[in-house]
Amino acid sequence: EDQVTQSPEALRLQEGESSSLNCSYTVSGLRGLFWYRQDPGKGPEFLFTLYSAGEEKEKERLKATLTKKESFLHITAPKPEDSATYLCAVQAHTGGFKTIFGAGTRLFVKA
Amino acid sequence: EAGVTQSPTHLIKTRGQQATLRCSPISGHTSVYWYQQALGLGLQFLLWYDEGEERNRGNFPPRFSGRQFPNYSSELNVNALELEDSALYLCASPREGGDYGYTFGSGTRLTVV
């Protein structure tokens, strides 16, 4: 069964304090691993798709990496506006475009 | 790209009633995905519609159902509402550009009292 586990559940950082969020996954035939950002009461916002082990993607202060079992979302010198829930998700080659999501990591960045 | 629209934004129902939630996908897109996000939990896959047909459903009871119309908009119906059905219900379209991601709507917050 396809599964996604994210850690930690919550992370509190000071502004400028870099850190990483972890996503462990099992999937039969990875089509893509995704990172989304979700603000309270809103729908998730797409950040990245990673397709194969060794791949990296960057966007502003965020950098996502992928291995065969895990993905990391590195946040460099975060700002208060980076505070949100970050969701990791996987999609298999079978099952259409059905995507399985992790429970998310709630990030709080204090000024 | 034009977005996914959902209505209503908020819905309050009494236990045992029925709720109807609506979604319009990105213009020209034929697929609609429904997810439930209960407080403190991750997104749980509910239903996938494509070209007017139900293609896949998640591990939810039959009182969760829906349909897709010829214009590809979709309805999610929840019958015999229970308190634990209170959640944010999200609708999504596959993104353009071939990256396999979703564009989500803003969701419908369903509260069952």
Side-chain angles (χ1 to χ4, degrees):
Chain A
E1 184 180 338
D2 301 341
Q3 194 168 358
V4 177
T5 304
Q6 292 188 246
S7 62
E9 290 185 11
L11 182 62
R12 298 180 184 274
L13 300 174
Q14 289 291 128
E15 183 172 4
E17 179 186 2
S18 301
S19 189
S20 294
L21 283 55
N22 176 263
C23 171
S24 298
Y25 68 94
T26 55
V27 64
S28 49
L30 180 69
R31 172 186 276 157
L33 182 140
F34 311 94
W35 284 96
Y36 289 84
R37 169 191 170 127
Q38 185 175 26
D39 292 302
K42 296 188 177 181
E45 175 187 349
F46 174 86
L47 292 173
F48 305 109
T49 303
L50 301 168
Y51 300 97
S52 58
E55 190 174 2
E56 300 182 351
K57 293 273 180 77
E58 288 190 64
K59 181 179 181 179
E60 296 180 354
R61 294 177 292 282
L62 302 176
K63 179 180 177 180
T65 61
L66 181 64
T67 72
K68 288 187 177 180
K69 295 182 179 181
E70 294 178 298
S71 178
F72 294 92
L73 184 66
H74 307 278
I75 303 176
T76 302
K79 298 181 178 182
E81 54 261 42
D82 295 322
S83 297
T85 296
Y86 291 85
L87 301 171
C88 176
V90 296
Q91 196 178 102
H93 281 291
T94 57
F97 282 81
K98 186 179 81 173
T99 301
I100 307 300
F101 285 81
T105 293
R106 295 180 65 193
L107 175 66
F108 303 90
V109 182
K110 186 176 180 181
Chain B
E1 58 186 5
V4 176
T5 57
Q6 292 188 245
S7 63
T9 304
H10 294 90
L11 190 57
I12 300 175
K13 292 287 186 178
T14 302
R15 189 171 50 184
Q17 286 188 318
Q18 178 194 41
T20 298
L21 289 63
R22 296 179 176 83
C23 171
S24 292
I26 294 171
S27 179
H29 285 213
T30 63
S31 274
V32 170
Y33 294 80
W34 286 96
Y35 283 83
Q36 181 197 65
Q37 188 176 32
L39 191 63
L41 298 179
L43 278 72
Q44 302 295 316
F45 170 71
L46 265 167
L47 290 160
W48 169 33
Y49 290 96
D50 184 51
E51 298 277 1
E53 300 285 333
E54 182 181 302
R55 302 296 184 181
N56 204 345
R57 93 178 265 124
N59 189 24
F60 281 84
R63 59 191 185 82
F64 286 84
S65 65
R67 55 180 172 168
Q68 188 176 32
F69 299 100
N71 66 353
Y72 304 123
S73 66
S74 178
E75 267 184 8
L76 174 68
N77 296 294
V78 188
N79 295 318
L81 284 165
E82 300 179 2
L83 296 178
E84 52 264 34
D85 297 332
S86 295
L88 182 66
Y89 289 83
L90 293 160
C91 173
S93 279
R95 281 168 47 86
E96 297 185 1
D99 59 23
Y100 306 128
Y102 290 158
T103 297
F104 281 91
S106 295
T108 293
R109 171 69 65 184
L110 173 63
T111 302
V112 183
V113 297

